[in-house]
Amino acid sequence: MSPQTQDVNSLVEALQTKTRAFRNSNDPDESRKAALVAAREVVTALEKPEEAVMQFANVHILTQRVCVKMGVDLRIFHLLVAAKGPVTSSSLAEQTGAEELFISKSKIFSRLVSSSERKPPVEGGILVSYEYSPIPKLPDYFKAKGYRCPTQSSHGPFQFIYQTDLGYFEKIHQSPVAMQNFNAFMSVIRGGRKFWADWYDVKARLLDGFKSQQGEVLLVDIGGGNGHDLETLIRKHPETAGHLVLEDLPTTVEGLEAKGLDPGIKVMGHDFFQEQPVKGVLPDQNCPPWFATNDINMMSINGGMQRDRRQWVDLVESVGLDIVEILRSPYEDDAEGVVEAVLKG
């Protein structure tokens, strides 16, 4: 038996163990994720390097992305879900106005159908990521720049590729539709991952000892979009109401109160590249787990990065703060964390 076969056998055994745990689990979603990670490890072990590379050479992933975008444009996912059964290409062509031959060629529509694709936040994410992503043209940028990372958010791949002086957020805020899509997508970007307050001991680490006089600020959510995180926090800890501040660009937060934002959240229009207007409070800093690829995404749209532990320590200490502790989510396939820091001295 070759070493590779032995590795595959051990991975398959691990997958079987985790699949059994999923069937008998009291937390099926978490055990499902563990089984999914194990399944991917089996696929990786079985797949030859040239087979993996050919997926990119055959534009397999790019083709899927394009088809999903067209499916959203044509509202095909809505039609497939509403039908609750098989749908012919001629029927879809009639309902969408597209050519039947085109529909029949785009078989990926039926493979991807699920109730999630037709939800406005998910559709918003598909649209805004397609229309405002510099990723496909990144090779052109790095070739022109000598393969060096950008050092300024105002002179990065986004500006180079879209031939603009505007930043990513300034650009999408020029389009009400793009802004609506972006904000809707941010409300569900956590996907199936646990909310940070599900595993972070909010009561012991934030609420105990907090002076809850009127007007005292407990937490500022900087760039918090429509306030989805803060509203979730209030549902879990009602005593935080009245002590939370939501900050985002004025065009994002305008009218949120009228749209039903929890009255326990104070709304402030603010550009987080400018000086912080709320004094005497240290907001929690979340590190969203968008995997290694999001490091490239952050760099491409605003010259940013996904920081590792050492980089967070260096950044926090450089502005006169001391790290108390860095806590990581205990859940499977989730790298989200909370950085606790206090003023020096």
Side-chain angles (χ1 to χ4, degrees):
M1 183 181 295
S2 68
Q4 181 183 14
T5 302
Q6 290 177 330
D7 288 343
V8 171
N9 286 342
S10 64
L11 290 172
V12 170
E13 289 175 3
L15 173 58
Q16 291 172 335
T17 299
K18 292 184 178 181
T19 301
R20 285 194 295 270
F22 165 60
R23 290 197 295 262
N24 302 317
S25 176
N26 294 324
D27 187 357
D29 191 56
E30 193 60 24
S31 58
R32 176 192 62 82
K33 291 179 183 179
L36 183 59
V37 170
R40 287 170 176 161
E41 290 175 347
V42 172
V43 171
T44 300
L46 289 172
E47 192 172 45
K48 294 181 178 180
E50 56 268 30
E51 292 172 336
V53 171
M54 284 305 295
Q55 292 189 45
F56 298 98
N58 291 332
V59 296
H60 175 65
I61 296 175
L62 181 59
T63 301
Q64 285 187 331
R65 185 182 182 193
V66 169
C67 285
V68 170
K69 168 63 165 59
M70 292 188 292
V72 170
D73 289 341
L74 291 170
R75 296 181 63 79
I76 283 179
F77 301 117
H78 290 258
L79 298 174
L80 291 174
V81 171
K84 302 184 184 303
V87 183
T88 64
S89 57
S90 60
S91 174
L92 288 176
E94 182 179 351
Q95 294 179 78
T96 62
E99 181 188 28
E100 183 179 352
L101 177 61
F102 168 79
I103 295 292
S104 65
K105 285 182 176 293
S106 304
K107 296 181 178 65
I108 190 174
F109 294 145
S110 60
R111 289 183 57 202
L112 292 174
V113 64
S114 74
S115 59
S116 64
E117 270 92 15
R118 67 189 181 98
K119 292 180 179 178
V122 177
E123 288 189 340
I126 292 169
L127 292 172
V128 78
S129 64
Y130 183 87
E131 295 166 359
Y132 291 92
S133 173
I135 296 293
K137 292 291 186 179
L138 272 184
D140 297 341
Y141 169 83
F142 283 110
K143 184 177 182 179
K145 301 297 182 181
Y147 299 96
R148 287 171 171 76
C149 294
T151 57
Q152 293 180 302
S153 61
S154 58
H155 295 85
F158 186 83
Q159 288 77 19
F160 177 87
I161 291 166
Y162 285 93
Q163 294 294 293
T164 179
D165 293 328
L166 299 176
Y168 175 79
F169 296 109
E170 294 172 297
K171 183 72 172 177
I172 66 171
H173 276 71
Q174 287 187 332
S175 166
V177 173
M179 183 179 70
Q180 179 180 349
N181 287 334
F182 178 84
N183 289 330
F185 183 48
M186 289 298 102
S187 70
V188 299
I189 200 166
R190 191 176 298 278
R193 294 182 285 108
K194 300 287 187 179
F195 181 59
W196 62 270
D198 289 334
W199 53 266
Y200 180 78
D201 193 345
V202 173
K203 184 178 185 306
R205 307 188 76 100
L206 290 181
L207 298 180
D208 288 354
F210 172 66
K211 298 177 181 178
S212 58
Q213 293 95 337
Q214 185 175 2
E216 287 289 324
V217 176
L218 172 70
L219 188 145
V220 181
D221 190 354
I222 303 172
N226 292 334
H228 37 277
D229 263 23
L230 293 184
E231 289 192 312
T232 303
L233 182 61
I234 288 178
R235 286 196 293 272
K236 289 181 171 295
H237 299 278
E239 64 271 37
T240 63
H243 306 288
L244 305 175
V245 177
L246 169 65
E247 291 184 350
D248 212 309
L249 292 173
T251 48
T252 295
V253 299
E254 182 180 2
L256 284 182
E257 294 99 329
K259 295 176 182 177
L261 181 71
D262 193 294
I265 300 171
K266 180 180 179 181
V267 176
M268 296 183 67
H270 175 62
D271 179 352
F272 58 54
F273 288 111
Q274 306 303 317
E275 181 180 354
Q276 173 56 237
V278 180
K279 306 300 181 183
V281 63
L282 298 176
D284 287 291
Q285 310 226 8
N286 293 339
C287 318
W290 296 334
F291 313 106
T293 53
N294 200 50
D295 192 18
I296 301 296
N297 184 48
M298 294 292 290
M299 177 176 60
S300 70
I301 64 174
N302 59 21
M305 66 170 67
Q306 290 286 94
R307 291 179 171 84
D308 59 26
R309 184 184 183 91
R310 183 68 256 170
Q311 289 168 329
W312 271 115
V313 171
D314 291 343
L315 175 66
V316 171
E317 291 181 347
S318 73
V319 294
L321 301 174
D322 282 331
I323 295 286
V324 176
E325 192 171 357
I326 298 178
L327 299 101
R328 290 282 299 274
S329 168
Y331 292 102
E332 184 74 42
D333 200 26
D334 187 353
E336 191 168 50
V338 173
V339 180
E340 288 189 359
V342 297
L343 291 170
K344 286 183 180 293

